[in-house]
Amino acid sequence: MKENICTIIGMIGGFFAALLGGWDSALTTLVIFMTIDFATGLIAAAMGKSKHSKTGRLSSRAGWVGLAKKVCTLLMIVVAVRIDLLVGTTYVRDATCIGFCVNELLSIIENTSCMGVPYPDSIKKAIEVLQKKAGRLDDELQEMIDEFEEDDER
């Protein structure tokens, strides 16, 4: 019985890993960042400092919206994998993973900044490197970085 359950779980995990283009460092990093982002969001909300609810406190609606966004992020990875297969490349998925890693990292920084935790210059530089590696420097992301730098200077 135990072997059957393990086999079924393994098959399901393998199916999802294949859909997501394999379980490599880019996907592992993205999933880790998503988990940390969700955890820091919960902690910020528990402290009453969340930007995702009117009261700044824990909100089941905000939590579900956050989880839904993360599921949609993974669906976008599936889309990128399929585009790579159609075009015969591997960089669309990688760039998509890196782009979403940057978004998650910025969200982690936002959550921890709400809690009063400063972030080091090395993280700031890593964000810039990741953005260049993904082949884009989104204006909204740049504004967010500039905002964090201004807050850090104060």
Side-chain angles (χ1 to χ4, degrees):
M1 180 69 173
K2 182 179 177 182
E3 289 177 13
N4 290 338
I5 292 172
C6 289
T7 301
I8 291 170
I9 291 171
M11 288 173 55
I12 293 169
F15 172 76
F16 283 112
L19 267 181
L20 294 165
W23 196 261
D24 61 355
S25 63
L27 187 61
T28 301
T29 302
L30 179 59
V31 170
I32 289 170
F33 281 12
M34 289 172 126
T35 305
I36 293 170
D37 177 43
F38 192 74
T40 57
L42 284 175
I43 294 167
M47 294 173 70
K49 298 182 179 189
S50 174
K51 292 184 178 182
H52 301 288
S53 68
K54 292 178 182 177
T55 62
R57 306 287 303 164
L58 285 170
S59 162
S60 60
R61 178 171 165 69
W64 281 111
V65 168
L67 287 175
K69 286 181 179 180
K70 294 192 183 325
V71 168
C72 288
T73 296
L74 294 175
L75 291 175
M76 290 303 298
I77 300 297
V78 173
V79 169
V81 167
R82 301 311 302 176
I83 290 171
D84 271 341
L85 289 172
L86 283 173
V87 180
T89 63
T90 59
Y91 63 84
V92 176
R93 176 197 178 267
D94 292 343
T96 303
C97 282
I98 292 168
F100 282 125
C101 281
V102 171
N103 287 341
E104 293 295 329
L105 183 57
L106 289 173
S107 183
I108 292 166
I109 291 169
E110 180 182 8
N111 291 339
T112 55
S113 293
C114 287
M115 293 183 264
V117 177
Y119 69 104
D121 287 335
S122 59
I123 298 286
K124 210 178 299 183
K125 290 176 184 170
I127 292 169
E128 292 170 7
V129 168
L130 286 171
Q131 286 175 324
K132 289 177 186 172
K133 191 171 183 179
R136 67 179 188 143
L137 187 60
D138 192 302
D139 291 337
E140 185 179 319
L141 294 176
Q142 186 59 50
E143 287 176 18
M144 224 179 197
I145 291 171
D146 293 342
E147 187 177 302
F148 287 132
E149 287 176 351
E150 288 172 11
D151 290 344
D152 200 32
E153 291 172 3
R154 292 181 198 163

